[in-house]
Amino acid sequence: MAYAAISKPSSKMNTKLYTGTGASNALTGVGFQPDLVWNKIRSTTGSGRITDAVRGVTKEIYPDLTDAEATQTEGVTAFGADGFTVGTNAGYNTNAATYAGWCFKANGAGSANTDGSTSCTVSADSSAGFSIIKFAGTGGNHTIGHGLGAAPEMLWFRNLSQTANWICYHKDLQSSSGKQMYLNLNNAQGNDTSYLQNTAPDASIITLGANADSNGSGNNIACYAFKSIKGYSKIGKFNGNGNTNGAFVYTGFKPRFVIIKVGYASAGTDFANHWFIFDSQLNGYNGENEYLKCDTNEAISSGTNRIDILSNGFKCRTSNDGVNSSSGVYMYYAVAEEPLVANVGSSIPATAR
């Protein structure tokens, strides 16, 4: 049994589903003060929006777009002790529209980190394997600290100052320190040995090169760093089998949040597809679970790229290329709803959705 490092996953990451009111709305029930909120409208088309405590409330960036950071005074206007407040902007709070707010805990507004050659601001919760980093790009080789105390397994970079792609590192891409994906695109993996100087991150620093999207000279850059935590989160890969009795992925917990993206082809030419987001709080049950896409503005779907959410992982229930092609190798990040067996309190194992 995989006993959990975190007995109550919802104390570190939680999903807030809500219906818009068209008026300023203080949303509660998250269970902690979030340091990052990723909002996505579900009932109609609309871009996702990410706000974090390091950049500050009203500052938004868009997972599906190349737009620079914007100030939205009617977006996320406050982080509260048990949730967050949204203003009247349609991306957050159209009357009667439905939304998801994915909430992550770090460590508030952060503090100076001098582990690397360039000082940066870091808000880190090493126990949850998540940190928010903000730094000034140099356009050349340098290093920054990440605050996790162990090597990150996934990184999302975003140039805040100009039009740019999201550069994504994942430990299981081929030649992981030289390959990358783009959070805002459905492209196959790309190859750029300069963005991390062909050097994987270590327990204290991230090594950066000259890529303008992740290190533009004089630009403000945000980076979100993630690491697997036993019984709470898992970053890994799996091979698709092209069958509706699909690949099973063991995580050691019942997932709340799962994001999946094809990384490369196990044979033949690498192919492109979307970033799929599954969440146990969304509508549907196993066999018909709803999903959203990170790299598009599409509304929620209960289409064919489906997974089952199980007590100890997830299982693909499609032969589609999106999550289970027979030639696909898929990257994923999963966060627990509940551990398979808690290390304190109840010893009752988790059940499938």
Side-chain angles (χ1 to χ4, degrees):
M1 293 266 183
Y3 288 88
I6 297 171
S7 297
K8 187 178 180 182
S10 62
S11 67
K12 302 289 187 178
M13 185 272 166
N14 209 346
T15 302
K16 178 63 180 179
L17 301 183
Y18 64 97
T19 300
T21 64
S24 179
N25 191 3
L27 299 160
T28 59
V30 171
F32 58 89
Q33 180 167 319
D35 297 307
L36 181 146
V37 179
W38 177 357
N39 292 83
K40 178 70 176 77
I41 191 168
R42 295 181 287 142
S43 51
T44 189
T45 58
S47 293
R49 295 146 191 266
I50 295 176
T51 307
D52 66 61
V54 174
R55 293 182 298 113
V57 293
T58 77
K59 300 294 186 181
E60 62 181 19
I61 45 180
Y62 318 96
D64 63 316
L65 300 176
T66 60
D67 297 31
E69 178 187 64
T71 299
Q72 176 48 257
T73 57
E74 293 296 332
V76 172
T77 60
F79 296 113
D82 189 31
F84 57 97
T85 300
V86 290
T88 60
N89 181 267
Y92 301 86
N93 194 19
T94 295
N95 186 43
T98 58
Y99 297 82
W102 295 298
C103 301
F104 294 80
K105 186 176 180 354
N107 190 23
S111 57
N113 180 296
T114 58
D115 290 342
S117 61
T118 297
S119 179
C120 56
T121 301
V122 175
S123 174
D125 185 341
S126 58
S127 69
F130 175 62
S131 69
I132 303 166
I133 307 158
K134 184 179 178 183
F135 64 96
T138 66
N141 296 346
H142 70 128
T143 58
I144 57 170
H146 54 72
L148 292 181
E153 297 167 301
M154 185 171 68
L155 303 168
W156 297 353
F157 293 95
R158 186 63 171 83
N159 189 320
L160 304 172
S161 303
Q162 64 182 32
T163 299
N165 289 313
W166 289 73
I167 299 286
C168 298
Y169 160 85
H170 191 289
K171 70 181 181 66
D172 289 319
L173 286 171
Q174 294 173 310
S175 181
S176 61
S177 53
K179 298 286 187 179
Q180 84 280 344
M181 300 185 293
Y182 305 94
L183 194 67
N184 57 298
L185 300 173
N186 67 356
N187 292 20
Q189 67 175 356
N191 186 38
D192 180 359
T193 56
S194 71
Y195 87 107
L196 292 179
Q197 292 189 55
N198 209 29
T199 303
D202 66 20
S204 60
I205 62 170
I206 301 164
T207 301
L208 293 165
N211 187 296
D213 288 344
S214 54
N215 189 30
S217 179
N219 297 154
N220 289 320
I221 312 292
C223 176
Y224 302 125
F226 306 83
K227 185 191 179 301
S228 301
I229 299 295
K230 182 180 179 181
Y232 167 74
S233 64
K234 187 74 179 290
I235 296 164
K237 68 178 180 179
F238 65 91
N239 290 81
N241 66 11
N243 194 300
T244 54
N245 184 19
F248 166 70
V249 181
Y250 176 80
T251 61
F253 52 79
K254 177 181 179 178
R256 172 186 301 279
F257 176 88
V258 182
I259 185 166
I260 299 172
K261 172 72 171 75
V262 63
Y264 56 92
S266 57
T269 303
D270 292 347
F271 60 93
N273 216 301
H274 297 289
W275 295 76
F276 291 89
I277 302 172
F278 302 89
D279 191 301
S280 64
Q281 308 309 298
L282 299 177
N283 292 333
Y285 294 92
N286 285 345
E288 54 182 26
N289 287 318
E290 292 183 337
Y291 56 81
L292 291 156
K293 296 175 184 175
C294 178
D295 56 298
T296 79
N297 69 354
E298 295 175 24
I300 202 161
S301 174
S302 56
T304 55
N305 286 289
R306 296 173 177 165
I307 67 169
D308 285 351
I309 295 173
L310 307 177
S311 64
N312 58 352
F314 61 91
K315 183 176 178 65
C316 299
R317 288 296 188 183
T318 180
S319 59
N320 283 18
D321 288 355
V323 297
N324 194 35
S325 165
S326 61
S327 63
V329 182
Y330 293 84
M331 309 296 111
Y332 73 90
Y333 171 55
V335 182
E337 177 178 352
E338 58 180 309
L340 180 58
V341 176
N343 60 352
V344 295
S346 173
S347 61
I348 300 172
T351 58
R353 188 179 188 194

